[in-house]
Amino acid sequence: TGDNVFSPSGNMTVAQAITIAARIHSIFNSVQVDFTAAEGAAWYAPYVKYAEDNKFFEAVSFDSFDRNVKRWEMATLFGSVLPEKWFTAINTVGYIPDIAVDAPYKANILALYNAGILMGSDSYGTFKPDNDITRAEASAIINRIADKAQRIKGKLELNAALLSTADLAETGYY
């Protein structure tokens, strides 16, 4: 965040999330990119252009690059930068307690849970999709995306008391 300070409890902005996603994508694809912003342009403009050119925004769109990025937005964005085969399932997660059955990003988040990149904030897999993501949380996600050895293999508990009838039917629990 400046002066060699990481600020792990600080929040990530949309621009910072896109920047990291663009760097991950370019490194994974061995693409040399000059991410220098043109004079007078926002520092993140080349990263946004790269993301647009590489279709990162098909699963998520942003109303501002300066605001904090939400957890679901960050996870969806990061899940879009590498090929599907990079996210091979090591877990069997079919339900996340705080993601609505009809949430448009549900499948993307489930893929990251199944790949061991995410496992939630408690034993039930609670994701807190609309919370801002911290720099430390983003760092953990980036680490698990980049290094498959760091992925989490596990099984979530089912808290039936928190589930609606539709949720129970979806999980096969009802």
Side-chain angles (χ1 to χ4, degrees), residues 159-172:
N159 185 344
L162 298 176
L163 304 177
S164 68
T165 303
D167 293 334
L168 286 168
E170 180 185 343
T171 64

Side-chain angles (χ1 to χ4, degrees), residues 23-45:
R23 289 180 179 175
I24 290 170
H25 186 272
S26 68
I27 291 167
F28 182 84
N29 290 293
S30 301
V31 177
Q32 294 292 329
V33 181
D34 180 6
F35 286 119
T36 306
E39 189 170 331
W43 67 268
Y44 53 81

Side-chain angles (χ1 to χ4, degrees), residues 141-162:
I141 293 170
I142 295 161
N143 183 43
R144 291 185 204 121
I145 287 174
D147 184 358
K148 289 183 177 184
Q150 298 301 313
R151 296 186 181 176
I152 303 166
K153 180 137 178 68
K155 184 173 170 85
L156 300 177
E157 294 179 38
L158 185 65
N159 185 344
L162 298 176

